Amino acid sequence: MLILGIDPGSSSTGFGLVRSDGSDLLHVHHSQVSLSSKKNTSQKLSRLYHATMEIMDEYHPDLVAVEGIFYGPNVKSMIILGQARGAAMVAVANCGLDIAEYPPTVVKQAVVGYGKATKEQVQQMVSVILNLKQVSGEHAADALAVAICHHHHQLLLGWEAKVKSS
């Protein structure tokens, strides 16, 4: 099963793909798209939408997960982040897939074991889990972390279903 993780941002968005083979995870791809500060909001959102569509068209993931919104003091930043998430989510929805959402603390807990882990700790554990020397790009590492988190939750759902049927 191919899982796409997305870490949306107003200046850069990360994409991470992992293949789930039972409990094993294999790295497939990671990248991030930078959104020029010289572009207006609608141009940035269009770029993000098209970048997401390119990933969807090239890899045809089975499952998609996105990092949820975190709440901060800067309302304007939260609105821009919400718009970026929306652009990526519309692209995924246009491909007929549902989107799982995980708060940043849940993603960090699933990957590092601590919900308040630093970006560096997440990047390091993603590299360890996927047997990579390093993951280039902070947002790409976060996107891979989202995909890993979704994989863990899918395993848990499968385990719960087996327990209920026993």
Side-chain angles (χ1 to χ4, degrees):
M1 185 158 310
L2 188 60
I3 303 170
L4 170 63
I6 303 174
D7 176 41
S10 58
S11 62
S12 182
T13 292
F15 299 99
L17 285 137
V18 296
R19 182 167 305 283
S20 169
D21 182 21
S23 61
D24 294 329
L25 273 179
L26 303 170
H27 172 264
V28 175
H29 170 82
H30 68 275
S31 61
Q32 58 185 44
V33 59
S34 295
L35 306 171
S36 172
S37 60
K38 296 177 183 177
K39 303 287 184 180
N40 65 38
T41 301
S42 60
Q43 291 169 321
K44 288 180 181 181
L45 295 175
S46 176
R47 172 73 180 110
L48 179 51
Y49 173 85
H50 289 292
T52 306
M53 288 301 296
E54 288 171 12
I55 294 287
M56 297 296 293
D57 289 343
E58 183 173 348
Y59 291 98
H60 305 285
D62 301 301
L63 301 172
V64 180
V66 63
E67 187 171 78
I69 292 178
F70 63 92
Y71 299 97
N74 188 333
V75 175
K76 185 177 179 183
S77 293
M78 296 300 102
I79 290 170
I80 292 169
L81 178 59
Q83 291 171 328
R85 288 179 76 245
M89 293 172 79
V90 167
V92 171
N94 283 343
C95 294
L97 292 177
D98 291 331
I99 305 154
E101 298 180 56
Y102 298 99
T105 54
V106 172
V107 173
K108 291 174 181 181
Q109 178 71 36
V111 174
V112 180
Y114 178 59
K116 294 183 181 183
T118 65
K119 292 252 183 210
E120 294 79 18
Q121 290 171 319
V122 171
Q123 213 166 359
Q124 184 178 6
M125 282 307 297
V126 165
S127 295
V128 169
I129 291 167
L130 297 176
N131 197 25
L132 301 170
K133 288 185 181 181
Q134 72 176 34
V135 178
S136 58
E138 179 180 296
H139 292 281
D142 286 349
L144 286 168
V146 171
I148 292 167
C149 176
H150 193 52
H151 169 260
H152 291 333
H153 279 80
Q154 293 301 305
L155 286 177
L156 182 60
L157 290 174
W159 177 79
E160 287 175 345
K162 286 180 186 176
V163 169
K164 287 180 182 177
S165 66
S166 299

